[in-house]
């Protein structure tokens, strides 16, 4: 039987480059990687700690695996936080860090929404390093579920029968057993199409300037999303 790919082989060099660039440009000494686990098993945190001489790091996820836990225990400068990073108590546990990594997570955030997540972490950081599938399908940011079932599935990289997506439109208002909130508000599904304009405007409004931006082009076959990378700093 073929082996599954190792988590390190799934790391995206574009995100690694982004961390390297922020480290050298802005001299960051500490970071928190919010939503670090799925598929990559905290890989961006672990390789950043190996490569750079960071003083402190925090890895946060609602679904921490045994692999991540075992690795994290061996690294005294790394703090592992389990929970929803939209919860102010989780933000308090993260505490002050030079930089916040948001890699492929901003588009999943509802209640608090993506922009409120930025508000929550802004007081405790000077840098946001963001890699996100950005919306190019219309001039305004959209809540993807509002597009209706057919357009929703035309715009997300998941099939109707896949994991949390199966029958989602029939139970949007049911309470999810684990997250104790309506299915429409869980972070395991694609939630937002965020435009560059809205992201940059939001960060500017809370005191962060765009230092770096790169368009890495289409996200798979999706015509309305592109991978965009950003570094914002005070
Ligand atoms: C799409 S994966 C991205 C993983 C990694 N950052 C990357 O770039 O490959 C999203 C991860 O973030 C976690 N996540 C998303 N929203 C979260 C939230 N509000 N609180 C805690 N974990 C969250 C998920 O559990 C999952 O592990």
């Amino acid at each position: 039987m073929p082996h599954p790919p190792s988590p390190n082989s799934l790391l995206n060099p574009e995100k690694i480059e982004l961390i390297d660039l922020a480290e050298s440009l802005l001299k960051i000494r500490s970071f928190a990687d919010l939503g670090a686990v799925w598929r990559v098993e905290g890989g961006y945190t672990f390789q950043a700690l190996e490569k750079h001489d960071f003083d402190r790091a925090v890895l946060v996820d609602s679904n921490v695996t045994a692999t991540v836990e075992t690795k994290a225990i061996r690294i005294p400068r790394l703090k592992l936080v389990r929970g929803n990073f939209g919860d102010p108590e989780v933000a308090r546990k993260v505490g002050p860090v030079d930089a916040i990594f948001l890699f492929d997570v901003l588009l999943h955030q509802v209640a608090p929404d993506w922009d409120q997540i930025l508000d929550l972490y802004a007081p405790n950081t000077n840098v946001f390093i963001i890699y996100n599938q950005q919306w190019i399908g219309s001039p305004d940011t959209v809540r993807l579920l509002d597009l209706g079932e057919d357009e929703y599935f035309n715009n997300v990289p998941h099939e109707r029968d896949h994991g949390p997506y199966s029958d989602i439109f029939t139970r949007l208002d049911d309470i999810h057993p684990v997250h104790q909130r309506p299915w429409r508000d869980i972070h395991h599904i694609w939630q937002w199409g965020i435009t560059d304009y809205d992201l940059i405007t939001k960060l500017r409004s809370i005191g962060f300037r765009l230092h770096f931006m790169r368009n890495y082009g289409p996200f798979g076959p999706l015509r309305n999303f592109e991978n965009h990378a950003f570094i914002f700093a005070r």
Side-chain angles (χ1 to χ4, degrees):
M1 221 166 71
H3 291 292
S6 81
N8 269 355
S9 72
L10 297 172
L11 294 182
N12 177 346
E14 294 160 4
K15 293 175 190 167
I16 294 173
E17 245 174 58
L18 201 56
I19 298 170
D20 294 348
L21 183 65
E23 193 272 342
S24 68
L25 204 66
L26 301 164
K27 309 284 173 236
I28 58 176
R29 308 299 314 140
S30 58
F31 68 86
D33 187 0
L34 305 186
V37 172
W38 185 71
R39 287 181 88 227
V40 296
E41 302 284 353
Y44 297 105
T45 289
F46 293 122
Q47 80 81 37
L49 283 170
E50 257 171 43
K51 193 165 178 182
H52 301 289
D53 191 23
F54 289 120
D55 300 330
R56 191 172 98 78
V58 190
L59 187 162
V60 188
D61 210 290
S62 57
N63 294 55
V64 173
T65 60
T67 309
V68 170
E69 190 168 358
T70 308
K71 256 179 132 168
I73 282 167
R74 299 197 193 109
I75 307 175
R77 7 176 219 152
L78 176 61
K79 179 175 178 182
L80 187 59
V81 178
R82 289 176 190 76
N84 186 326
F85 60 72
D87 176 351
E89 180 54 22
V90 169
R92 195 193 58 74
K93 284 184 189 162
V94 170
V97 281
D98 290 344
I100 296 285
F101 299 175
L102 291 161
F103 293 165
D104 297 0
V105 292
L106 218 39
L107 69 86
H108 292 280
Q109 305 310 311
V110 169
D113 295 348
W114 65 273
D115 52 337
Q116 296 166 320
I117 293 285
L118 298 171
D119 287 332
L120 183 61
Y121 286 88
N124 272 338
T125 198
N126 290 319
V127 180
F128 282 103
I129 306 177
I130 296 173
Y131 190 103
N132 198 55
Q133 291 70 53
Q134 291 287 106
W135 179 251
I136 55 164
S138 61
D140 296 321
T141 292
V142 291
R143 179 85 191 264
L144 297 169
L145 292 168
D146 293 344
L147 298 174
E149 185 167 355
D150 287 342
E151 265 310 283
Y152 181 81
F153 284 105
N154 283 337
N155 280 288
V156 302
H158 297 279
E159 300 297 329
R160 289 166 199 255
D161 58 354
H162 176 221
Y165 293 90
S166 77
D167 295 330
I168 182 114
F169 275 82
T170 65
R171 51 194 156 110
L172 287 176
D173 296 316
D174 296 353
I175 299 299
H176 188 284
V178 172
H179 298 292
Q180 289 301 310
R181 51 167 66 202
W183 277 79
R184 68 167 71 250
D185 293 346
I186 63 168
H187 61 253
H188 298 303
I189 63 167
W190 278 48
Q191 292 282 7
W192 292 101
I194 305 168
T195 64
D196 285 355
Y197 179 83
D198 283 348
L199 181 63
I200 294 168
T201 304
K202 172 65 201 178
L203 278 151
R204 190 180 295 144
S205 78
I206 55 175
F208 290 80
R209 212 159 52 81
L210 184 61
H211 272 246
F212 170 85
M213 181 182 169
R214 182 166 292 165
N215 182 347
Y216 285 103
F219 179 72
L222 296 183
R223 66 190 153 82
N224 288 326
F225 281 98
E226 284 178 346
N227 285 322
H228 294 180
F230 309 84
I231 299 174
F232 293 93
R234 286 191 191 280

